[in-house]
Amino acid sequence: MRRLIVALLVAVAWSFGGPAKPYPTGAYDASSARAYFGRRPLRVAARSLEILWRSAGFGAALAGDALAGDGPAGPRADDRGRELTDLLVALGPAFIKIGQSASVRSDLLPPPYVKALTLLQEDVPAFASAEARAIIAAELGSAASKLRDVSPEPVAAASLGQVHRATWDGRPVAVKVQRPDVEDRVALDMYLVREFAAPLAASLGAPGDVVGIADAWGAGLVGELDYEAEGANAAAFGEKLAASSLDGRVFAPAVVADATSRRVLTTEWVDGERLDETGARDDVPRLASLAMNSYMWMMLDSGLLHCDPHPGNLLRAPDGRLCILDWGLVTQLDEDLRLTLIEHVAHLVARDYAKVPGDLVRLGFVPEGGEDAAADAGVVDLLTRAYSKRAEGGGFANFDVPGLIDELRGLSADAGAAIFQIPPYFAYIAKAFATLEGIGLGVDPDYSILNDTLPYISERMLSDPSPRAAGALSTFVFGAAKDDARARVLDADRVGSLLDGARRYASTDVAVGGGGAERAADAILDLLKDDTPASRLVVEQVALALGARTRRLWADARRRSGGAGGDRSVLGSLVDPLGLFRGSKLVTEDDRDAAALDAAAKLAALASELLGDAGGDPADQRALASALASRLWARREDLSVVTRRVAAESARQTADRLRIK
């Protein structure tokens, strides 16, 4: 007995050594957690036994499947995926968040499990409001007294915290309060996952760096516990948004900095409705489109990507704006990655499939040097088939985005992470696609989320001054001929898609009707007045079309003037009696001229359609011309700049034609 008492005293004394907390700096730290819990074996053992007890039924079911000859992806996989989801909810916050993270890692789990985890919802009871008020007082100090009328019960509860309504300086606010001791419980569970579960999974053949994946999950989860960082993320989104064309249509709730701490987050109160539950059902397609444009902007422009796009975090505000909640989980995308994504879309649209394997390496889908293996695995063929279907016409209305994502996940599972993987940033975008498409299809069976990605891509390629964006734009509109400056001609269909996308991006919530001509004139002059890659491209093609039109008019006039003997025309003999320019490239139409004029005719018809020209009615055409002329006169100084640029480009092209042998 005496020895037992001494041993217990030594164990207790030892447990008080080492770090005072699992994460002394507040950030995820596997080594400090190991030192902390290594001195607390009784707590580790107790939690381990609890996890094993709760997991026993699920484990027995898997063992039964194996004995019956069925693997994890067998006929009961859908049921097992749902059972796994229920188990993770029962195990608590860390496992819920791990499950949500694993739902975007199809290289770790069979597709039926991944599909079940994407639907993982946090169904947890609220904690006592008295505890919430005590945490508010401890965290905010004297500032807590300015929070008045705190609701006696929470209005929402989740695994990491709960939300109460209150007022601050007379304004309604939402106060998110972290659960008591949640950081310590999360730290213990992540310690068990990282130190025991991950090595076990690796020894059983789980692909990739499983311990590294566990560390990434831990860092993300512990990061979500820092409400000050969450508030900073939301504020950063608002600052970046203010400089974009989405400003005034999308927002994150404003943070009340004086009432925010690591464990308490106070924001403005938003009287919004979830997109999948709003009474304004007719407005859902617009909002889903706006949400997709917002995620494209985050992914390709701001670089700060919101990583939790489930229906509960997307609200329709009473004024029709889109509110995005919960900025605890975000990821940063560097500029190189953002430009590579734009180039990849351009390569696919232009059917430049030879560049796709290299794109996949730079995007993180394929390890360095794995291009050939990825092609053999079928991913390039899959993307080729998907985008070839789009190229056949008919738009994206019947394009199955979730189906494409499921196929990509299947390839990832079959090929293994050593050959093909879905990088986390893309997995979150895929999750956004699936969420938003589901919301849109709930009210419109023909809704297509992929059709809503083109507007942002179009606007970005037209406005980005960087050389790589310019290259992507050239690939998009010229295709394989983009590098031959003396032969390239716009693909009218692609330009039409680009212009329509840019128009839809600029007026996501505004119909194109009245004022279309004025808006078009402004858009054209805004594009052309500055020397940018997009404006240089347009000026080049305008000058090409003008030159081609001049040569065709000259040829037509010569034919109408009649013959003057030999191969000379009357008009040619009068203007050039010595025949110095007869057969000159300056006056002779070539194949590029014909292609340029054909493209110009198609684009003119498209412009008429986009501007709302009502079937060619003469009165409407006169009104359209009058409105356009009025706007051009109002901006005559910009028009003069554009005219000089076109004239200079025409002179350059003339010189080039004279140099061509």
Side-chain angles (χ1 to χ4, degrees):
M1 173 64 75
R2 200 157 133 200
R3 289 182 180 176
L4 178 60
I5 293 174
V6 170
L8 287 173
L9 289 174
V10 170
V12 170
W14 186 56
S15 70
F16 283 100
K21 298 194 301 182
Y23 306 132
T25 65
Y28 175 78
D29 186 336
S31 60
S32 66
R34 187 185 309 114
Y36 180 85
F37 289 113
R39 292 175 175 271
R40 290 158 177 80
L42 295 180
R43 282 193 61 196
V44 172
R47 179 57 173 162
S48 299
L49 289 173
E50 179 186 4
I51 293 172
L52 289 172
W53 175 258
R54 289 181 178 272
S55 305
F58 180 70
L62 291 180
D65 292 343
L67 291 173
D70 298 328
R76 297 181 181 84
D78 289 336
D79 293 336
R80 298 294 177 254
R82 288 189 291 269
E83 291 166 7
L84 175 60
T85 298
D86 294 338
L87 172 61
L88 295 178
V89 171
L91 289 176
F95 289 93
I96 291 173
K97 295 299 182 180
I98 288 172
Q100 291 173 338
S101 297
S103 71
V104 295
R105 292 301 303 261
S106 54
D107 53 326
L108 297 178
L109 294 170
Y113 288 69
V114 170
K115 184 176 181 180
L117 290 176
T118 59
L119 304 176
L120 182 61
Q121 300 293 322
E122 303 181 37
D123 184 16
V124 293
F127 61 92
S129 296
E131 288 185 280
R133 286 191 291 271
I135 292 172
I136 292 172
E139 289 287 311
L140 302 184
S142 60
S145 62
K146 295 181 65 176
L147 279 175
R148 302 183 180 278
D149 305 318
V150 179
S151 60
E153 298 297 330
V155 295
S159 59
L160 300 182
Q162 64 190 35
V163 178
H164 291 258
R165 179 165 179 158
T167 59
W168 175 270
D169 287 340
R171 295 177 291 116
V173 293
V175 185
K176 183 159 72 169
V177 187
Q178 198 169 107
R179 287 183 176 273
D181 303 320
V182 70
E183 181 175 324
D184 193 61
R185 285 183 285 155
V186 163
L188 175 55
D189 285 344
M190 284 310 308
Y191 167 75
L192 293 173
V193 169
R194 203 262 185 197
E195 302 298 333
F196 300 100
L200 176 61
S203 69
L204 295 175
D209 178 10
V210 186
V211 173
I213 292 171
D215 283 335
W217 288 344
L221 177 51
V222 176
E224 284 193 74
L225 296 173
D226 186 350
Y227 287 175
E228 286 179 315
E230 179 178 341
N233 291 336
F237 170 74
E239 290 173 6
K240 292 174 181 287
L241 191 71
S244 81
S245 59
L246 291 169
D247 186 37
R249 293 184 280 174
V250 185
F251 71 103
V255 177
V256 182
D258 291 341
T260 294
S261 70
R262 182 175 174 83
R263 300 178 64 201
V264 176
L265 173 64
T266 304
T267 67
E268 67 172 310
W269 181 267
V270 178
D271 282 314
E273 302 175 297
R274 289 170 51 130
L275 293 197
D276 58 343
E277 297 178 355
T278 178
R281 307 301 290 166
D282 292 344
D283 200 27
V284 170
R286 179 190 68 86
L287 289 164
S289 174
L290 182 57
M292 195 65 247
N293 274 297
S294 301
Y295 273 87
M296 295 297 292
W297 174 80
M298 284 187 264
M299 182 173 71
L300 299 178
D301 195 303
S302 78
L304 180 70
L305 179 63
H306 179 271
C307 292
D308 198 9
H310 64 74
N313 284 340
L314 302 171
L315 304 182
R316 181 188 187 276
D319 59 4
R321 291 183 299 160
L322 175 70
C323 177
I324 303 178
L325 303 175
D326 196 351
W327 290 85
L329 183 60
V330 301
T331 191
Q332 293 279 351
L333 305 181
D334 63 43
E335 184 178 10
D336 180 72
L337 178 62
R338 302 199 300 268
L339 287 169
T340 301
L341 282 163
I342 295 173
E343 290 170 333
H344 179 55
V345 171
H347 291 153
L348 290 170
V349 172
R351 305 190 203 182
D352 192 356
Y353 299 123
K355 292 189 172 67
V356 170
D359 291 343
L360 296 177
V361 171
R362 289 189 292 275
L363 292 172
F365 287 90
V366 174
E368 192 74 35
E371 294 94 325
D372 292 341
D376 292 340
V379 64
V380 176
D381 289 341
L382 172 61
L383 292 175
T384 299
R385 290 198 311 273
Y387 280 83
S388 292
K389 178 180 178 182
R390 166 64 182 96
E392 291 169 2
F396 287 122
N398 298 314
F399 195 91
D400 183 9
V401 176
L404 173 62
I405 293 169
D406 284 344
E407 286 192 71
L408 286 172
R409 284 174 170 156
L411 285 175
S412 175
D414 293 340
I419 297 176
F420 180 74
Q421 60 198 4
I422 297 180
Y425 73 87
F426 182 82
Y428 288 120
I429 287 295
K431 184 177 180 181
F433 267 69
T435 298
L436 296 170
E437 183 127 23
I439 292 170
L441 289 172
V443 295
D444 180 3
D446 295 324
Y447 179 76
S448 169
I449 198 66
L450 192 57
N451 198 36
D452 287 329
T453 65
L454 183 60
Y456 178 78
I457 292 287
S458 301
E459 192 274 342
R460 178 63 188 273
M461 283 195 291
L462 287 171
S463 62
D464 193 321
S466 71
R468 289 180 63 184
L473 177 61
S474 293
T475 298
F476 194 101
V477 298
F478 292 125
K482 75 165 188 172
D483 294 323
D484 187 352
R486 294 180 175 180
R488 62 185 191 178
V489 175
L490 293 173
D491 183 310
D493 291 334
R494 290 180 191 166
V495 174
S497 295
L498 191 71
L499 294 177
D500 182 56
R503 186 265 303 170
R504 286 192 288 125
Y505 180 81
S507 55
T508 303
D509 57 353
V510 180
V512 173
E518 294 91 332
R519 285 201 305 275
D522 282 333
I524 293 170
L525 290 174
D526 287 341
L527 172 65
L528 297 182
K529 70 177 181 179
D530 297 321
D531 186 14
T532 66
S535 71
R536 288 194 291 273
L537 184 153
V538 175
V539 166
E540 171 200 315
Q541 294 297 304
V542 168
L544 175 64
L546 288 174
R549 183 61 177 162
T550 300
R551 283 182 284 277
R552 179 164 292 184
L553 288 174
W554 170 249
D556 290 344
R558 288 173 58 201
R559 279 193 298 271
R560 287 196 299 269
S561 71
D567 59 351
R568 301 298 305 278
S569 68
V570 173
L571 181 59
S573 298
L574 291 173
V575 174
D576 181 21
L578 298 179
L580 297 177
F581 291 96
R582 185 171 47 176
S584 169
K585 294 181 181 297
L586 286 179
V587 296
T588 304
E589 182 179 334
D590 57 20
D591 291 342
R592 190 186 184 198
D593 287 334
L597 290 174
D598 181 59
K602 290 180 179 178
L603 288 172
L606 176 68
S608 178
E609 179 182 340
L610 290 178
L611 292 174
D613 185 359
D617 181 89
D620 289 333
Q621 288 182 351
R622 286 193 296 272
L624 186 64
S626 175
L628 187 56
S630 174
R631 193 64 195 141
L632 291 176
W633 174 254
R635 296 190 59 178
R636 55 191 176 276
E637 290 185 5
D638 290 335
L639 180 60
S640 176
V641 172
V642 173
T643 302
R644 289 197 297 272
R645 293 190 64 206
V646 172
E649 175 61 21
S650 295
R652 188 195 66 77
Q653 290 183 12
T654 298
D656 281 349
R657 291 181 74 88
L658 289 174
R659 284 195 294 267
I660 295 175
K661 300 298 184 181

Coordinates of all heavy atoms in Angstrom, one line a residue, residues 316-358:
R316 N -28.9 35.0 -47.3 CA -29.4 36.1 -48.1 C -29.9 37.2 -47.1 O -30.8 37.0 -46.3 CB -30.6 35.6 -48.9 CG -31.2 36.7 -49.8 CD -32.5 36.3 -50.5 NE -33.0 37.2 -51.4 CZ -33.8 38.3 -51.1 NH1 -34.1 38.5 -49.8 NH2 -34.2 39.1 -52.1
A317 N -29.2 38.3 -47.2 CA -29.6 39.5 -46.4 C -30.9 40.1 -46.9 O -31.3 39.9 -48.1 CB -28.5 40.5 -46.4
P318 N -31.7 40.8 -46.1 CA -32.9 41.4 -46.5 C -32.8 42.3 -47.8 O -33.8 42.4 -48.5 CB -33.4 42.2 -45.3 CG -32.8 41.5 -44.1 CD -31.4 41.0 -44.6
D319 N -31.7 42.9 -47.9 CA -31.5 43.8 -49.1 C -31.0 43.0 -50.3 O -30.7 43.6 -51.4 CB -30.5 44.9 -48.8 CG -29.2 44.5 -48.3 OD1 -28.9 43.2 -48.4 OD2 -28.3 45.3 -48.0
G320 N -30.9 41.7 -50.3 CA -30.5 40.9 -51.4 C -29.0 40.6 -51.5 O -28.6 39.9 -52.4
R321 N -28.2 41.2 -50.6 CA -26.8 40.9 -50.6 C -26.5 39.5 -50.1 O -27.4 38.9 -49.4 CB -26.0 41.9 -49.8 CG -26.0 43.3 -50.3 CD -25.2 44.2 -49.4 NE -25.7 44.3 -48.1 CZ -25.0 44.7 -47.0 NH1 -23.7 45.0 -47.2 NH2 -25.6 44.8 -45.8
L322 N -25.4 39.0 -50.4 CA -24.9 37.7 -50.0 C -24.0 37.8 -48.8 O -23.0 38.6 -48.9 CB -24.2 36.9 -51.1 CG -23.6 35.6 -50.7 CD1 -24.7 34.5 -50.4 CD2 -22.6 35.1 -51.8
C323 N -24.3 37.2 -47.7 CA -23.5 37.2 -46.5 C -22.8 35.9 -46.3 O -23.4 34.8 -46.3 CB -24.3 37.6 -45.3 SG -23.4 37.6 -43.7
I324 N -21.5 36.0 -46.1 CA -20.6 34.8 -45.9 C -20.2 34.7 -44.5 O -19.5 35.7 -44.0 CB -19.4 34.7 -46.9 CG1 -19.9 34.8 -48.3 CG2 -18.6 33.4 -46.7 CD1 -18.8 34.7 -49.4
L325 N -20.5 33.7 -43.7 CA -20.2 33.6 -42.3 C -19.1 32.7 -42.1 O -18.7 31.9 -42.9 CB -21.4 33.1 -41.5 CG -22.8 33.9 -41.6 CD1 -23.8 33.1 -40.9 CD2 -22.6 35.3 -41.0
D326 N -18.5 32.7 -40.9 CA -17.6 31.7 -40.3 C -16.3 31.7 -41.1 O -16.0 30.9 -42.0 CB -18.2 30.4 -40.3 CG -17.4 29.4 -39.4 OD1 -16.3 29.8 -39.0 OD2 -17.9 28.3 -39.2
W327 N -15.4 32.6 -40.7 CA -14.1 32.8 -41.4 C -12.9 32.2 -40.5 O -11.8 32.6 -40.7 CB -13.8 34.3 -41.6 CG -14.7 34.8 -42.7 CD1 -16.0 35.2 -42.6 CD2 -14.4 34.8 -44.1 NE1 -16.5 35.6 -43.8 CE2 -15.5 35.3 -44.7 CE3 -13.3 34.5 -44.8 CZ2 -15.6 35.5 -46.1 CZ3 -13.3 34.7 -46.2 CH2 -14.5 35.2 -46.8
G328 N -13.2 31.1 -39.7 CA -12.2 30.5 -38.9 C -11.3 29.6 -39.7 O -10.1 29.5 -39.4
L329 N -11.8 29.0 -40.8 CA -11.0 28.1 -41.6 C -10.8 28.7 -43.0 O -11.8 28.8 -43.8 CB -11.7 26.7 -41.7 CG -10.9 25.7 -42.5 CD1 -9.6 25.4 -41.9 CD2 -11.7 24.4 -42.6
V330 N -9.6 29.2 -43.3 CA -9.3 29.8 -44.6 C -7.9 29.2 -45.0 O -7.2 28.6 -44.3 CB -9.2 31.3 -44.5 CG1 -10.5 32.0 -44.0 CG2 -8.0 31.8 -43.6
T331 N -7.7 29.4 -46.3 CA -6.4 29.0 -46.8 C -5.9 30.1 -47.8 O -6.7 30.9 -48.4 CB -6.4 27.7 -47.6 OG1 -5.1 27.2 -47.9 CG2 -7.2 27.8 -48.9
Q332 N -4.6 30.3 -47.9 CA -4.0 31.3 -48.7 C -3.5 30.7 -50.0 O -2.8 29.6 -50.0 CB -2.8 32.0 -48.0 CG -3.2 32.9 -46.8 CD -3.7 34.2 -47.2 OE1 -3.7 34.6 -48.4 NE2 -4.3 34.9 -46.3
L333 N -3.8 31.3 -51.2 CA -3.3 30.8 -52.5 C -2.4 31.9 -53.0 O -2.7 33.0 -53.2 CB -4.5 30.6 -53.4 CG -5.6 29.7 -53.0 CD1 -6.7 29.6 -54.1 CD2 -5.1 28.3 -52.6
D334 N -1.1 31.4 -53.3 CA -0.2 32.4 -53.8 C -0.4 32.8 -55.2 O -1.2 32.2 -55.9 CB 1.3 31.9 -53.6 CG 1.6 30.7 -54.4 OD1 1.2 30.6 -55.6 OD2 2.2 29.8 -53.9
E335 N 0.2 33.9 -55.7 CA -0.1 34.5 -57.0 C 0.2 33.5 -58.1 O -0.5 33.4 -59.1 CB 0.6 35.8 -57.2 CG 0.3 36.5 -58.5 CD 1.0 37.8 -58.6 OE1 1.9 38.1 -57.8 OE2 0.7 38.6 -59.6
D336 N 1.3 32.8 -58.0 CA 1.7 31.8 -59.0 C 0.7 30.8 -59.2 O 0.3 30.5 -60.4 CB 3.1 31.2 -58.6 CG 3.5 30.2 -59.7 OD1 3.9 30.6 -60.8 OD2 3.4 29.0 -59.4
L337 N 0.1 30.3 -58.1 CA -0.9 29.3 -58.2 C -2.2 29.8 -58.9 O -2.8 29.2 -59.7 CB -1.3 28.7 -56.9 CG -2.4 27.7 -56.8 CD1 -2.0 26.4 -57.6 CD2 -2.6 27.3 -55.3
R338 N -2.5 31.1 -58.5 CA -3.7 31.7 -59.1 C -3.6 31.9 -60.6 O -4.6 31.6 -61.4 CB -4.0 33.0 -58.4 CG -4.2 32.9 -56.9 CD -4.9 34.1 -56.3 NE -4.2 35.4 -56.4 CZ -3.3 35.9 -55.6 NH1 -3.0 35.2 -54.5 NH2 -2.8 37.1 -55.8
L339 N -2.4 32.3 -61.1 CA -2.2 32.5 -62.5 C -2.2 31.2 -63.2 O -2.7 31.1 -64.4 CB -0.9 33.3 -62.7 CG -1.0 34.8 -62.4 CD1 0.4 35.4 -62.4 CD2 -1.9 35.5 -63.3
T340 N -1.7 30.1 -62.6 CA -1.6 28.8 -63.2 C -3.1 28.3 -63.4 O -3.4 27.6 -64.4 CB -0.8 27.8 -62.3 OG1 0.5 28.3 -62.2 CG2 -0.8 26.5 -63.0
L341 N -3.9 28.6 -62.5 CA -5.3 28.1 -62.6 C -6.0 28.8 -63.8 O -6.7 28.2 -64.6 CB -6.1 28.5 -61.3 CG -5.9 27.5 -60.2 CD1 -6.4 28.1 -58.9 CD2 -6.6 26.2 -60.4
I342 N -5.7 30.1 -64.0 CA -6.3 30.8 -65.2 C -5.7 30.2 -66.5 O -6.4 30.0 -67.4 CB -6.0 32.3 -65.0 CG1 -6.7 32.9 -63.8 CG2 -6.4 33.1 -66.3 CD1 -6.3 34.3 -63.5
E343 N -4.4 30.0 -66.5 CA -3.8 29.4 -67.7 C -4.4 28.0 -68.0 O -4.6 27.7 -69.1 CB -2.3 29.3 -67.5 CG -1.5 30.6 -67.4 CD -0.1 30.5 -67.0 OE1 0.2 29.5 -66.2 OE2 0.7 31.3 -67.4
H344 N -4.6 27.3 -66.9 CA -5.2 25.9 -67.1 C -6.6 26.0 -67.8 O -6.9 25.2 -68.7 CB -5.3 25.2 -65.7 CG -5.9 23.8 -65.8 ND1 -5.3 22.8 -66.6 CD2 -6.9 23.3 -65.1 CE1 -6.1 21.7 -66.4 NE2 -7.0 22.0 -65.5
V345 N -7.4 26.9 -67.3 CA -8.7 27.0 -67.9 C -8.6 27.4 -69.4 O -9.3 26.9 -70.3 CB -9.6 28.1 -67.1 CG1 -10.8 28.4 -67.9 CG2 -9.9 27.6 -65.7
A346 N -7.7 28.4 -69.7 CA -7.5 28.8 -71.1 C -7.0 27.6 -71.9 O -7.5 27.4 -73.1 CB -6.4 29.9 -71.1
H347 N -6.1 26.8 -71.4 CA -5.6 25.6 -72.2 C -6.8 24.6 -72.5 O -6.9 24.1 -73.6 CB -4.5 24.9 -71.4 CG -3.3 25.6 -71.3 ND1 -2.4 25.5 -70.2 CD2 -2.7 26.6 -72.1 CE1 -1.4 26.3 -70.4 NE2 -1.6 27.0 -71.5
L348 N -7.7 24.4 -71.5 CA -8.8 23.5 -71.7 C -9.8 24.0 -72.7 O -10.2 23.3 -73.6 CB -9.5 23.2 -70.3 CG -8.7 22.4 -69.3 CD1 -9.3 22.4 -68.0 CD2 -8.5 21.0 -69.8
V349 N -10.1 25.3 -72.6 CA -11.1 25.9 -73.5 C -10.5 25.9 -74.9 O -11.2 25.7 -75.9 CB -11.4 27.3 -73.0 CG1 -12.3 28.1 -74.1 CG2 -12.2 27.3 -71.7
A350 N -9.2 26.2 -75.1 CA -8.6 26.2 -76.4 C -8.2 24.8 -76.9 O -7.7 24.7 -78.0 CB -7.3 27.1 -76.3
R351 N -8.5 23.8 -76.1 CA -8.2 22.4 -76.5 C -6.7 22.2 -76.7 O -6.3 21.4 -77.5 CB -9.0 22.0 -77.7 CG -10.5 22.2 -77.7 CD -11.1 21.5 -78.9 NE -12.4 22.1 -79.1 CZ -13.3 21.7 -80.1 NH1 -12.9 20.7 -80.9 NH2 -14.4 22.3 -80.2
D352 N -5.9 23.0 -75.9 CA -4.5 22.8 -76.0 C -4.1 21.7 -74.9 O -3.4 22.0 -73.9 CB -3.8 24.1 -75.7 CG -2.3 24.1 -76.0 OD1 -1.8 23.0 -76.4 OD2 -1.7 25.2 -75.9
Y353 N -4.5 20.5 -75.2 CA -4.4 19.4 -74.2 C -3.0 19.0 -73.9 O -2.7 18.4 -72.8 CB -5.3 18.2 -74.6 CG -6.7 18.6 -74.7 CD1 -7.4 18.4 -75.9 CD2 -7.4 19.2 -73.6 CE1 -8.7 18.7 -76.0 CE2 -8.8 19.5 -73.8 CZ -9.4 19.2 -75.0 OH -10.7 19.6 -75.1
A354 N -2.0 19.3 -74.8 CA -0.7 18.9 -74.5 C -0.1 19.6 -73.3 O 0.9 19.1 -72.7 CB 0.2 19.3 -75.8
K355 N -0.7 20.8 -73.0 CA -0.1 21.5 -71.8 C -0.8 21.1 -70.5 O -0.4 21.6 -69.4 CB -0.3 23.0 -72.0 CG 0.6 23.6 -73.2 CD 0.5 25.1 -73.2 CE 1.5 25.7 -74.1 NZ 1.2 25.4 -75.5
V356 N -1.9 20.3 -70.6 CA -2.6 20.0 -69.4 C -1.8 19.2 -68.4 O -1.8 19.5 -67.2 CB -3.9 19.2 -69.7 CG1 -4.6 18.6 -68.5 CG2 -4.9 20.1 -70.5
P357 N -1.0 18.2 -68.8 CA -0.2 17.5 -67.7 C 0.7 18.4 -67.0 O 0.9 18.3 -65.7 CB 0.6 16.4 -68.6 CG -0.3 16.2 -69.8 CD -0.8 17.5 -70.1
G358 N 1.4 19.3 -67.7 CA 2.2 20.3 -67.0 C 1.5 21.2 -66.0 O 1.9 21.5 -64.9

